């Protein structure tokens, strides 16, 4: 077995810098009250010796683990296959890394996973949690509350226990859906269908509400339920064409759904956009720019939502991320709803 050199100690840094061990500790842990000249000597000694603070000992001083749990209420097969989650995780990771925090990814697929996540959060391993992709009656909010960890949610919460104070980040799903359907109607389309997402999620429910805001008297047969996947889009599109063969437009609840719908329209000999116009939601470039034809869609800033979730959590923990107060909600308005934009391409 290869022998390794002993790690430099706090005492070694203090000796090299010519200061006390307590001074080194204050500088390493980011405490105030050390003159800049002394702090610079300590930083130089740390660099020369290659000193790395012991995180366990550091946590005893700062009461921080510099770790944040990111909890996705989805099975791993969905998280790693859907580019939406990749973009959101990228935003979260960038913000946490910029403030020297580690990301701990926790996924849930069944009740045993919920219990495991609850135990982990309650065990004091992380400073806070970012939770997204919640479904109706999901036990995660209650588990997080029981664990007592600061939390920011991705998406508008669908529960109200009277306690208030739930911090969340969401997009204007309802307004974005309205803009999509208004655009289709403005093109002269009169038989506009909607493929929903899973209606036990608030994003899908809000997009359906936006569709109904514009098409209040729409034939119920023009609405089919999907699940935010290409396969769900294919199934729903076949159902809609069998039921309403004369439809001339489709608003799909997300880009993956729209991609599946486009495949079925091509199979059935429908030209896009001549016969059927299609609008999606998300503007995930790996999907929207590669469909045939390229997809008109509602853009939401998915990566930006992830960054803002992390920023809000870190501000609540120690204030280190409060560098853009224009994006930070007030205490009386804990939810942040980001705007959406219609992106015009070839399908509509």
């Amino acid at each position: 077995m290869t022998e390794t050199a002993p790690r430099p100690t706090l005492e070694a840094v203090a000796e090299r810098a010519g200061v006390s061990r307590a001074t080194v500790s204050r500088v390493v842990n980011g405490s105030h009250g050390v003159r800049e000249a002394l702090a610079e000597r300590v930083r130089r000694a740390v660099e020369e010796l290659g000193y790395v603070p012991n995180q366990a000992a550091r946590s005893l001083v700062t009461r921080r683990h510099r770790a944040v749990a990111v909890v996705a209420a989805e099975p791993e097969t969905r998280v790693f296959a859907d580019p939406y989650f990749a973009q959101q995780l990228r935003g979260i990771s960038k913000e946490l890394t910029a403030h020297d925090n580690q990301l701990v990814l926790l996924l849930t697929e069944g009740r045993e996973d919920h219990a495991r996540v609850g135990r982990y959060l309650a065990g004091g391993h992380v400073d806070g949690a970012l939770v997204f992709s919640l479904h109706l009656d999901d036990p995660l909010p209650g588990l997080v509350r029981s664990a007592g960890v600061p939390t920011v949610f991705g998406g508008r919460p669908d529960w109200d226990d009277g306690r208030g104070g739930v911090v969340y980040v969401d997009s204007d799903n309802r307004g974005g859906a309205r803009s999509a359907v208004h655009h289709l109607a403005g093109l002269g389309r009169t038989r506009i269908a909607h493929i929903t997402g899973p209606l036990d999620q608030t994003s899908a429910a809000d997009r359906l509400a936006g569709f109904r805001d514009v098409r209040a008297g729409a034939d119920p047969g023009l609405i089919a339920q999907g699940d935010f996947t290409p396969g769900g889009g294919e199934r729903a599109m076949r159902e809609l064409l069998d039921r309403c063969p004369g439809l001339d437009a489709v608003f799909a609840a997300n880009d993956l759904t729209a991609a599946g719908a486009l495949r079925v329209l091509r199979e059935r000999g429908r030209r896009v956009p001549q016969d059927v116009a299609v609008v999606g939601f998300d503007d995930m470039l790996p999907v929207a720019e590669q469909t045939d034809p390229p997809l008109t869609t509602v853009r939401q800033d998915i990566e930006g939502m992830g960054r803002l979730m992390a920023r809000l959590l870190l501000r609540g923990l120690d204030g280190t991320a409060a560098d853009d107060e224009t994006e930070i909600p007030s205490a009386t308005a804990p939810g942040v709803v980001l705007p959406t934009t219609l992106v015009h391409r070839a399908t509509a």
Side-chain angles (χ1 to χ4, degrees):
M1 183 173 65
T2 303
E3 293 187 2
T4 58
R7 294 174 55 181
T9 64
L10 210 64
E11 288 77 10
V13 175
E15 183 178 352
R16 175 68 67 93
V19 299
S20 70
R21 185 185 187 283
T23 297
V24 174
S25 179
R26 284 198 296 272
V27 173
V28 168
N29 290 313
S31 301
H32 301 294
V34 179
R35 288 187 288 113
E36 182 56 33
L38 291 181
E40 181 56 35
R41 277 161 52 186
V42 171
R43 287 192 287 266
R44 193 182 310 120
V46 165
E47 184 175 349
E48 290 171 355
L49 293 174
Y51 172 76
V52 178
N54 181 289
Q55 185 58 43
R58 190 175 184 179
S59 295
L60 291 174
V61 177
T62 64
R63 297 190 178 183
R64 285 284 307 277
H65 300 277
R66 314 298 299 183
V68 170
V70 178
V71 186
E74 299 287 352
E76 62 181 34
T77 51
R78 173 82 191 282
V79 171
F80 294 122
D82 189 333
Y84 177 92
F85 295 107
Q87 290 186 36
Q88 192 159 45
L89 287 170
R90 183 163 60 240
I92 291 170
S93 178
K94 283 182 178 179
E95 193 67 24
L96 293 181
T97 300
H99 295 91
D100 195 24
N101 283 261
Q102 300 302 313
L103 184 158
V104 180
L105 181 61
L106 304 174
L107 307 178
T108 63
E109 193 158 3
R111 289 206 169 272
E112 62 280 2
D113 292 317
H114 288 115
R116 171 181 53 81
V117 169
R119 288 193 302 270
Y120 185 85
L121 295 177
H125 304 288
V126 294
D127 301 313
L130 303 171
V131 181
F132 58 87
S133 201
L134 288 171
H135 296 258
L136 189 66
D137 298 327
D138 200 307
L140 277 173
L143 291 171
V144 170
R145 185 180 298 114
S146 297
V149 295
T151 304
V152 175
F153 292 93
R156 178 179 64 80
D158 62 353
W159 69 91
D160 181 11
D161 60 4
R163 302 187 190 191
V166 177
V167 180
Y168 68 91
V169 177
D170 202 0
S171 288
D172 184 9
N173 292 296
R174 189 165 184 165
R178 284 196 297 262
S179 69
V181 183
H182 274 305
H183 176 64
L184 291 168
L187 296 175
R189 308 295 169 137
T190 59
R191 300 280 287 167
I192 303 173
H194 177 43
I195 302 176
T196 76
L199 294 177
D200 64 346
Q201 292 189 286
T202 57
S203 57
D206 288 347
R207 291 170 200 178
L208 173 59
F211 172 82
R212 285 175 168 157
D213 287 343
V214 182
R215 309 295 289 180
D219 179 354
L222 286 169
I223 299 174
Q225 186 165 343
D227 59 4
F228 283 156
T229 69
E234 291 179 4
R235 290 189 297 273
M237 192 70 251
R238 291 191 182 98
E239 179 184 330
L240 286 167
L241 289 173
D242 291 342
R243 238 174 15 219
C244 307
L247 64 84
D248 58 8
V250 177
F251 166 50
N254 76 340
D255 291 350
L256 292 176
T257 297
L262 287 170
R263 283 198 287 269
V264 172
L265 289 168
R266 190 179 304 111
E267 289 172 5
R268 296 286 185 95
R270 303 299 207 280
R271 298 171 301 163
V272 177
Q274 295 91 332
D275 300 326
V276 180
V278 178
V279 177
F281 201 112
D282 282 339
D283 195 31
M284 296 187 294
L285 297 185
V287 180
E289 291 187 340
Q290 294 178 20
T291 59
D292 183 19
L295 182 65
T296 295
T297 187
V298 177
R299 183 178 190 273
Q300 60 172 336
D301 187 359
I302 302 169
E303 184 174 324
M305 290 169 62
R307 294 198 73 143
L308 185 52
M309 287 175 64
R311 187 175 302 139
L312 287 169
L313 181 67
L314 293 177
R315 185 195 69 164
L317 292 172
D318 57 16
T320 57
D323 52 5
D324 188 354
E325 292 297 335
T326 61
E327 291 188 274
I328 304 299
S330 69
T332 57
V336 181
V337 178
L338 300 180
T340 56
T341 307
L342 186 67
V343 178
H344 297 266
R345 295 193 183 93
T347 59

